[in-house]
Each structure stands twice: as structure tokens, then as C-alpha cells.
Amino acid sequence: MAAEGPAAQWRARLARLHLAPFRPYLLDSLRDYDRARFVKDLSAGVTVGIVALPLAMAFGVASGAKPEQGLFTAIIAGFLISALGGSRVQVGGPAGAFIVIIYGIIAKYGFANLLISTMCAGVLLFAMGLTRLGYLVRFIPVSIVIGFTNGIAVLIIVSQIKDFLGLSIDVMPADFFSKRA
């Protein structure tokens, strides 16, 4: 019997880890795809586009980016969510909670480092999915989730006060929110 090569050794190690299987639902759903489902998906896509694309442009501006950058982000992310998602009815789109985080990263480190941090977060989320750590979300109390969501809403409102009042502030400092306390 010949000695195993490095590739066979790695496959054996991965098999012992008991990782979650990764199979996008798109591969299974295309098997039964027909004209009727396409019409339904097209109308749903138009509806989501009418809502999500202007929202993505607004989130881009609120994050300190250009409107077209928010638009490109929403289109690319929407495609990736659709292609790699785990359910036919999974919803994905721009999230307002990230405005404060993205604004701080762009203001302090620039767009290049935003891309790096986004890639690192994606790798981390993928690894957590493979190792089945998603069940830990069940242990986060509802009051924490509500508090986090309300805190983000307050930060977004405070960041838009200058526009609402018509104040001319060229660049909002990244540490503006920490100075409000």
C-alpha cells in the first residue's frame, strides 16, 4: 500500500471535523424551476428592487460613500445572497445597522481597509457556519437585540441631524458618536 499524499491526509482531517455541509439551495431549486415560478420571482425582484435600490443609495450616502457605491454594493450582495443562500424565501438587502460601523471604518481607515474588514468578516461568518456555531444566537436575550437595534436607530438619527437642520458640516468626525455621551 502506497503512502498517502498530502491531499488525502487533508481530506481525512476535514472528514473528522464533522463540518456542516455547504450546498446552496439554488442548486436544488433550479431543478423544478418553470415559467410560473419565474414570473413570481420576477415580480418579487421588481418589488424588492423598487424598495432596496433607493435604500442602498441612501445607506451609501449615510455611510460616507457615494450613492453609486451603495448601489453597487446592494446589487453584488443581492446576487451573492441569492446564489449562495440557504432558502428559496431568504431575504437579503441593505441593513441600516451597519451605517454607523461602515461610516467609522471609512472615516478612520479608508475604503481599502473597509474592503479588508468586510472580507475578514465574511471568512469569519463562513467558518462559523461550517462549524455550526449559529446555534449560539439562541442564547442572546431578546432585550439585548432590542437594545442594540434601538441604539443603532438613535445613532443613525443623530448622524442625520446636520442634514435635517441644514447645517453645513463638511466631514463628520468618525469619533462624533463617542463625543455625544
Side-chain angles (χ1 to χ4, degrees), residues 89-160:
V89 293
Q90 182 175 358
V91 177
F98 289 107
I99 291 174
V100 178
I101 297 166
I102 291 172
Y103 183 81
I105 293 172
I106 290 173
K108 192 168 185 179
Y109 301 108
F111 284 104
N113 291 319
L114 174 66
L115 180 61
I116 292 170
S117 63
T118 302
M119 299 297 268
C120 289
V123 168
L124 183 64
L125 285 173
F126 192 76
M128 290 175 70
L130 281 178
T131 55
R132 300 178 185 194
L133 291 176
Y135 75 93
L136 293 175
V137 172
R138 288 186 254 166
F139 299 111
I140 299 174
V142 174
S143 58
I144 299 277
V145 174
I146 292 172
F148 173 79
T149 305
N150 289 337
I152 291 293
V154 168
L155 289 175
I156 292 170
I157 290 170
V158 168
S159 72
Q160 299 304 308

Side-chain angles (χ1 to χ4, degrees), residues 27-50:
L27 298 176
D28 297 328
S29 66
L30 286 178
R31 199 173 320 129
D32 302 330
Y33 207 72
D34 58 0
R35 183 178 174 89
R37 185 173 283 176
F38 173 75
V39 171
K40 290 178 184 177
D41 285 348
L42 182 65
S43 67
V46 169
T47 304
V48 169
I50 289 171

